[in-house]
Amino acid sequence: MHTALRWKWVAASRHAPVWIGMVAIAALCWFYLVRMDQSMSAMGGAHAAQKSMAMNGDGLGQLGAAFAMWAVMMLAMMLPTVVPSALLFSNLAAKRKASNSNMATAMYVAGYSASWILFAAPAAALQATLTATSLLDPMAQSTSAL
């Protein structure tokens, strides 16, 4: 029993750079989101959103700001969810070729992250469209009476 636990610790520590990188990226994303929320709250909500997120600017600025917000939010929330499958993947990759398992695991996590960043594009486009048509306010809240 003790040997099995030690083997798992050795296998997990071999991939420490991957895990540290994932934690660092998720922490930076959360830090950015918290700072963005604090700045919008301190500057007066919707007015701050219009200025800081370019929601009343040109279409490209609005779309770019919405995409950045969605991409960071997706990474902050979804990166931690890949940990269980990445741990399994890293163990399988280490059994196949231990010398290349860090790179394989990093590529696995990068592919997962890329899929969520790609999801941010249509989400941002939809948000920008709804904001431009006044169905959402600059704080992304519905303006509908329903």
Side-chain angles (χ1 to χ4, degrees):
M1 181 91 163
H2 179 67
T3 306
L5 184 60
R6 181 183 166 129
W7 182 84
K8 285 182 181 181
W9 173 253
V10 169
S13 64
R14 180 183 328 125
H15 300 290
V18 175
W19 307 127
I20 291 169
M22 286 174 60
V23 168
I25 291 170
L28 285 172
C29 289
W30 278 109
F31 177 76
Y32 175 79
L33 290 173
V34 167
R35 294 284 298 180
M36 184 174 59
D37 179 58
Q38 289 173 343
S39 69
M40 284 193 296
S41 296
M43 294 173 64
H47 179 65
Q50 288 176 343
K51 290 182 87 176
S52 69
M53 294 181 61
M55 289 301 176
N56 64 347
D58 65 347
L60 193 57
Q62 181 179 359
L63 185 61
F67 175 77
M69 186 261 326
W70 274 99
V72 169
M73 187 172 56
M74 289 291 100
L75 284 176
M77 291 191 299
M78 299 310 294
L79 196 56
T81 67
V82 76
V83 170
S85 64
L87 182 58
L88 176 63
F89 182 86
S90 69
N91 288 335
L92 293 173
K95 287 179 183 178
R96 185 169 188 216
K97 187 174 180 184
S99 64
N100 197 25
S101 61
N102 269 351
M103 181 58 77
T105 304
M107 294 304 292
Y108 175 79
V109 173
Y112 179 84
S113 299
S115 66
W116 284 109
I117 291 171
L118 287 174
F119 172 79
L126 180 61
Q127 180 181 346
T129 301
L130 292 173
T131 302
T133 58
S134 299
L135 293 173
L136 288 179
D137 69 8
M139 293 295 290
Q141 296 177 347
S142 175
T143 58
S144 173
L146 298 175

